Structure formats: C-alpha cells, structure tokens
Amino acid sequence: LDGDDVELGAGLGFSLLGPRPLPYGEFSDWIPKLDAQVDAHWRVWELGISAFNVLNHRYAAVEYNFVSNWDTDGTPSRLPARHIAAAAPFSFLINLGVHL
C-alpha cells in the first residue's frame, strides 16, 4: 500500500487438558480448546483479531466435588456433588496498535 509492504501474520493454538483428579475418586472431563489469531502490520499501524474457544466448546474452567445443600426445607444430603465454574464461551477481540 502506497509503496510500503503489508506484513500479515496468523496463529492457531490447540490445547487438550487431560482429566484432573477430584475428591472421592472422581475425575474431570477431557477439555479440547482451539484459539486463532490474524494480524496485519503496515507502517506504524497494526490491526489484529484474536478468537478464543473457536469451537464454542462448553466446559468447566474449575470443577469441585463437595457436599452441598440448596434445599432449605428438606433433609440435607451428605453425598458429594460436582460443582463447576463455567469457562468463557466463544469470544473475539479486535485490536488496533500504533508502533512508535
């Protein structure tokens, strides 16, 4: 563009987390995750797009196994149950940078 080169870049990342041990002999699930990124650099300007969890795989970022009781009227259970904190869904970021 205008006699200057445009540099392009791309990246792809795949992570596979194996089962993590939980209390009471339980294990978490396998977690596949795919991320991608593209960018363009021209003169002092840089434009990039990053995408996370491209396959929109629903998984637990954190898993616990403990006794809980959400029923205030009934008899409380003493059996452990799995509780999770959900991971981020598909998301993308667009960034614009200036190299000085």
Side-chain angles (χ1 to χ4, degrees):
L1 296 175
D2 198 25
D4 291 328
D5 291 337
V6 176
E7 296 177 20
L8 302 176
L12 190 64
F14 178 75
S15 301
L16 182 62
L17 301 175
R20 296 165 287 179
L22 298 171
Y24 307 106
E26 295 285 324
F27 286 88
S28 65
D29 297 327
W30 285 89
I31 301 170
K33 190 167 176 281
L34 183 66
D35 300 326
Q37 177 253 331
V38 294
D39 58 43
H41 185 248
W42 175 67
R43 292 186 179 175
V44 298
W45 301 98
E46 183 173 3
L47 178 65
I49 300 174
S50 301
F52 304 97
N53 194 9
V54 173
L55 303 175
N56 200 23
H57 181 73
R58 294 180 181 187
Y59 65 96
V62 180
E63 293 186 60
Y64 301 103
N65 203 4
F66 58 86
V67 175
S68 64
N69 178 28
W70 302 104
D71 183 9
T72 57
D73 296 329
T75 306
S77 172
R78 301 263 182 208
L79 298 174
R82 185 176 292 189
H83 302 335
I84 68 163
F90 167 76
S91 57
F92 69 94
L93 302 173
I94 299 173
N95 60 52
L96 176 64
V98 178
H99 296 265
L100 302 176

